[in-house]
Amino acid sequence: MSPPVRAGCVPPALWVIPLLLVLAPGCRARYAANWTSLDARPLPQWFDEAKIGIFVHWGVFSVPGFGQFSEWFWYWWQSKKRAEEVAFMLENYPPGFKYADFAHAFRAEFFDPDNWAEIFKASGAKYVVFTSKHHEGFTNWPSAGSWNWNSVDVGPHRDLVGELATAVRKKSLRLGLYHSLYEWYHPLYLSDQASGFKTQDFVGRKTLPELVDLVTTYKPDLIWSDGDWEAPDTYWNSTEFLAWLYNDSPVKDVVVTNDRWGKGCYCKHGGYYNCADRYTPGTLPDHKWEKCQSIDTHSWGYRRDMKLSEVMDLPAILKDLVYVVAMGGNYLLNIGPMADGMIAPVFEERLRGLGVWLGINGDAIYASKPWRVQTENSTVTVWYTAKNHTVYAIILGWPAEQLLRLTVPRTSTATKITLMDYPNVLLKWAPLTPTAGLMIAMPTMPASPGNAWCLKLEGVW
C-alpha cells in the first residue's frame, strides 16, 4: 500500500467549532480560554478516588513490534535511521516496503473487547486509557480526517475505540482516550512546522476536528493528550478546545485532562500533571499527578523481542503503586497488546495478580489520601496512606522475628491494629515511647506473591 492518502481531510473551517461553541449567543462560558481560568477548574472527584488505571498502546506499530520504544518504530527507522530498525527491515522485508504496508497485517483478528475489559476489571483498575491515535497518525476509529489510514478502512476493518468503549463501560470502568496532537509525517503538519508554526493548517483540518469527534462520539471521561512538545499551546489552540470541553461538551462535568497541551505546558497547565514519562517526584506534590509506567520496561508498544527479565514482576509493580498513591498520585500501568489483539499472558498474569492483592488491601488505596508522613524505613520499608480516621501502613517485606517497629504513628488507648489479610484478628502492640511509635507482634505471614502487606491502624494520628 502506498503511504496514507490525505485527500479526505476535514475542511479547514471545522477547527473553529470549539471556539464558536464557547462563544455562541446564549452560552455564557464558565471557563474562559486562558490558563488562569482553565487551571482553576476543580478536578472531578472520580479521578483522585480511582487511583489505578490501565494504559493501552496499540496501533500499526504493534505489527513490527520491534525494538526499544517500539511505538516509535517508524520514526526510528525513517528519521533517525537507528541501526537496529534499519537492519531489521533489511533482513525481514523486501526492498521498497513502506511503513504503511504494515497496516495490512494489523488485523486484530483475536481482539475480544469483552475479554480485555474483564482482564482490566480483574486488575482492580478503575479506568482505562486507550490509544485512539499515536504519532504515526493511524486512528483506531473511523476518523473522517484520516482516510485510508484508520482501523475501519484498512487492517481490522473495525471501530476499535467504539468496541472497547462499550466493553469497558459494561464493566463499570471509566474510559480514557490517548490522543497525539501531532503526526510525524503528515504533510500539513510538516508544512506548519516549516513555517515555524505560523500557519495552523494541520490543527484546523486534523487535530481539533478529531478531538471534537472523539469527544462527541465516544464521550470519554479522560483525555490523555500527547505529542505537544514541538509547538506552543497557541499553535494547538489548546485553551479554546479545553474551554469548549469544560463548558459545552457532552462530558463537561466529568472529563479529566492531563497537562500535555503545548511546549512548556506540562507540570504547569491542564488538569492533573503527568510531567515527564514515568514522573517520580521526590517530595509530596501540591497538585494532583499521575505516573504512567509500562510493565515492559523497554517499551509502551508490544515488542516481539521482549524478554522476561525486562518485564516488571508483581513486587516491583506493587512497590511502584504504593509509592505513587502514598505521594498523592494515580498509577497508570501500561500494556502493549499484540497486533492480532491478544494480550500477552505475562501481562495478563501481572494484572490479575495486582487485582488479587487489591482485593485484600484495596481499602488502603482507593479514595485514600496522603498521610502527614508518607514513608519510613525502620524494620522494613513502610508507606502510609489515610482515609477518614484510619491510617494504613503498607509494608514491603516481612519483618524478621515477627516484630514490626513503626516510629511515626502516635498511639492512644483507643488504638487498634489489624493485618488486612486477617481483618478480624486484633494484633498485640506496645508503645515505643510515651509520645510516638509502636512495636507490633505480627501474625503468621500470609502468602503474598507481591511481597507486600497492609496494616490497618485505628485510633492513631
Side-chain angles (χ1 to χ4, degrees), residues 111-135:
F111 173 50
D112 180 347
D114 290 320
N115 176 249
W116 281 25
E118 188 277 323
I119 293 171
F120 300 155
K121 182 74 172 182
S123 76
K126 300 298 184 183
Y127 61 104
V128 176
V129 179
F130 180 62
T131 306
S132 68
K133 184 192 75 172
H134 206 261
H135 313 321

Side-chain angles (χ1 to χ4, degrees), residues 217-248:
T217 303
Y218 304 107
K219 300 176 179 58
D221 301 290
L222 185 154
I223 295 178
W224 212 102
S225 183
D226 198 18
D228 62 314
W229 52 81
E230 290 189 349
D233 63 273
T234 50
Y235 167 74
W236 297 114
N237 288 314
S238 297
T239 56
E240 286 85 355
F241 170 72
L242 291 173
W244 169 77
L245 185 70
Y246 295 165
N247 289 317
D248 299 303

Side-chain angles (χ1 to χ4, degrees), residues 48-51 288 322 324-330 361-371 384-388 390 392 394:
D48 181 55
E49 293 181 350
K51 302 301 181 188
K288 183 63 187 182
V322 299
V324 169
V325 174
M327 295 286 279
N330 276 26
N361 302 290
D363 279 351
I365 302 296
Y366 304 121
S368 66
K369 300 289 183 183
W371 194 41
Y384 291 102
T385 64
K387 184 160 52 179
N388 300 324
T390 300
Y392 298 92
I394 303 169

Side-chain angles (χ1 to χ4, degrees), residues 141-170:
W141 87 99
S143 168
S146 196
W147 181 81
N148 207 36
W149 194 231
N150 68 75
S151 64
V152 172
D153 287 349
V154 66
H157 298 291
R158 298 167 65 175
D159 179 356
L160 303 178
V161 171
E163 291 187 33
L164 189 63
T166 298
V168 300
R169 283 173 169 147
K170 284 194 293 187

Side-chain angles (χ1 to χ4, degrees), residues 402-404 417 425-430 438-443:
Q402 305 292 104
L403 291 174
L404 177 65
I417 302 172
V425 179
L426 291 177
L427 302 185
K428 295 180 179 179
W429 61 274
L438 66 162
M439 186 73 75
I440 304 168
M442 300 292 284

Side-chain angles (χ1 to χ4, degrees), residues 237-457:
N237 288 314
S238 297
T239 56
E240 286 85 355
F241 170 72
L242 291 173
W244 169 77
L245 185 70
Y246 295 165
N247 289 317
D248 299 303
S249 81
V251 292
K252 62 183 184 298
D253 296 325
V254 299
V255 72
V256 171
T257 64
N258 68 342
D259 56 351
R260 298 185 181 187
W261 294 102
K263 185 176 181 179
C265 278
Y266 86 30
C267 264
K268 294 180 181 178
H269 298 302
Y272 65 89
Y273 293 168
N274 283 120
C275 303
D277 286 353
R278 299 180 177 87
Y279 177 49
T280 307
T283 57
L284 184 67
D286 60 3
H287 191 95
K288 183 63 187 182
W289 64 283
E290 176 189 70
K291 179 177 183 178
C292 50
Q293 173 66 50
S294 189
I295 296 178
D296 174 3
T297 59
H298 286 209
S299 185
W300 303 98
Y302 182 71
R303 291 186 304 137
R304 291 185 289 160
D305 55 337
M306 177 178 65
K307 297 178 177 62
L308 184 61
S309 61
E310 298 162 343
V311 176
M312 293 179 75
D313 60 15
L314 185 59
I317 292 170
L318 288 175
K319 180 180 179 181
D320 210 23
L321 165 69
V322 299
Y323 151 77
V324 169
V325 174
M327 295 286 279
N330 276 26
Y331 194 55
L332 187 62
L333 186 62
N334 178 79
I335 61 165
M338 304 176 195
D340 61 14
M342 291 298 294
I343 293 174
V346 68
F347 293 159
E348 180 177 352
E349 187 270 344
R350 298 296 192 263
L351 294 182
R352 291 190 184 277
L354 173 62
V356 170
W357 188 86
L358 288 166
I360 297 169
N361 302 290
D363 279 351
I365 302 296
Y366 304 121
S368 66
K369 300 289 183 183
W371 194 41
R372 60 178 175 84
V373 175
Q374 285 72 62
T375 188
E376 70 165 292
N377 286 282
S378 50
T379 312
V380 294
T381 299
V382 180
W383 289 94
Y384 291 102
T385 64
K387 184 160 52 179
N388 300 324
H389 300 294
T390 300
V391 175
Y392 298 92
I394 303 169
I395 63 174
L396 303 179
W398 195 258
E401 300 179 359
Q402 305 292 104
L403 291 174
L404 177 65
R405 175 189 175 97
L406 300 179
T407 63
V408 175
R410 298 165 185 159
T411 61
S412 69
T413 56
T415 297
K416 295 192 299 183
I417 302 172
T418 54
L419 186 70
M420 294 183 73
D421 296 80
Y422 307 133
N424 299 317
V425 179
L426 291 177
L427 302 185
K428 295 180 179 179
W429 61 274
L432 289 179
T433 73
T435 57
L438 66 162
M439 186 73 75
I440 304 168
M442 300 292 284
T444 302
M445 181 176 67
S448 178
N451 195 41
W453 296 263
C454 183
L455 291 163
K456 183 177 182 179
L457 313 178

